[in-house]
Amino acid sequence: MTNYLYRSKRIREDEWVYGTLEKCYNEYGETFYRIVGTISPNETMQAMVVNNNTIGYCIDYTGDISTSIFEGDIIQYTCDYDGLDGFSKTYTCQAIAVYNEEEKQFGFVLNEEGVPEFFNWEDIITTNDFSIVGNIWDNSELVKVRLNEYFKND
């Protein structure tokens, strides 16, 4: 069992659960995962079987699950850049929280001119005001970045 905070959707009920992750095996030797935790902070701890495709590690724990950032979360923030005309411009950016296996670190994927680009999470979080606008499973219509290299489902 890991001592990190994870989030995933339960298999039977379509709701998010939070807690530590356990890798388990059934009587046929097949792997499944469960989260030992709660649905909300005031509930009793329990072990819940979860959907493997929705498991996400907590990247930035704020002390409140609803404001913490998990893999698969979509954040939105404003950023400034210098345009070719020499004037500074402000635009709204969107990024998706991921674990980059190659870099061995957490960060965000941005869609820079149609090409997914990885940025360290601290570079985004510490320098920008942001809000979590959804996640890739519940809000797929918000996803503007091709994520098949980062996630099992895009």
Side-chain angles (χ1 to χ4, degrees):
M1 186 162 85
T2 63
N3 289 323
Y4 302 107
L5 181 61
Y6 286 86
R7 170 183 75 185
S8 187
K9 281 200 168 189
R10 291 176 73 173
I11 290 285
R12 293 197 177 103
E13 295 84 8
D14 192 31
E15 62 191 351
W16 290 102
V17 294
Y18 304 87
T20 56
L21 186 67
E22 287 185 334
K23 183 176 185 178
C24 305
Y25 301 92
N26 65 16
E27 64 270 14
Y28 305 109
E30 300 167 329
T31 304
F32 69 95
Y33 291 89
R34 63 184 186 181
I35 286 185
V36 178
T38 63
I39 299 165
S40 66
N42 298 330
E43 292 190 9
T44 306
M45 297 285 279
Q46 57 182 310
M48 299 163 276
V49 178
V50 296
N51 180 334
N52 298 357
N53 293 329
T54 63
I55 296 170
Y57 178 79
C58 183
I59 294 173
D60 184 36
Y61 183 66
T62 62
D64 176 11
I65 288 173
S66 64
T67 60
S68 296
I69 302 172
F70 289 84
E71 289 178 276
D73 278 346
I74 303 167
I75 65 164
Q76 190 167 296
Y77 60 97
T78 55
C79 50
D80 297 321
Y81 72 100
D82 293 328
L84 295 175
D85 57 6
F87 293 100
S88 181
K89 300 180 190 228
T90 301
Y91 67 105
T92 301
C93 297
Q94 188 185 86
I96 299 170
V98 298
Y99 179 74
N100 186 311
E101 197 64 49
E102 192 174 295
E103 301 282 335
K104 300 290 186 219
Q105 65 178 323
F106 290 99
F108 292 94
V109 175
L110 304 176
N111 192 5
E112 296 292 323
E113 298 178 7
V115 179
E117 189 173 341
F118 178 80
F119 288 88
N120 181 296
W121 75 277
E122 290 175 327
D123 293 341
I124 304 276
I125 298 302
T126 58
T127 58
N128 299 286
D129 288 330
F130 68 92
S131 61
I132 300 170
V133 295
N135 64 61
I136 63 170
W137 300 282
D138 292 335
N139 312 100
S140 59
E141 73 280 1
L142 297 175
V143 178
K144 305 214 179 349
V145 180
R146 300 279 307 159
L147 292 174
N148 45 350
E149 65 183 272
Y150 294 99
F151 291 98
K152 297 172 190 148
N153 299 324
D154 63 326

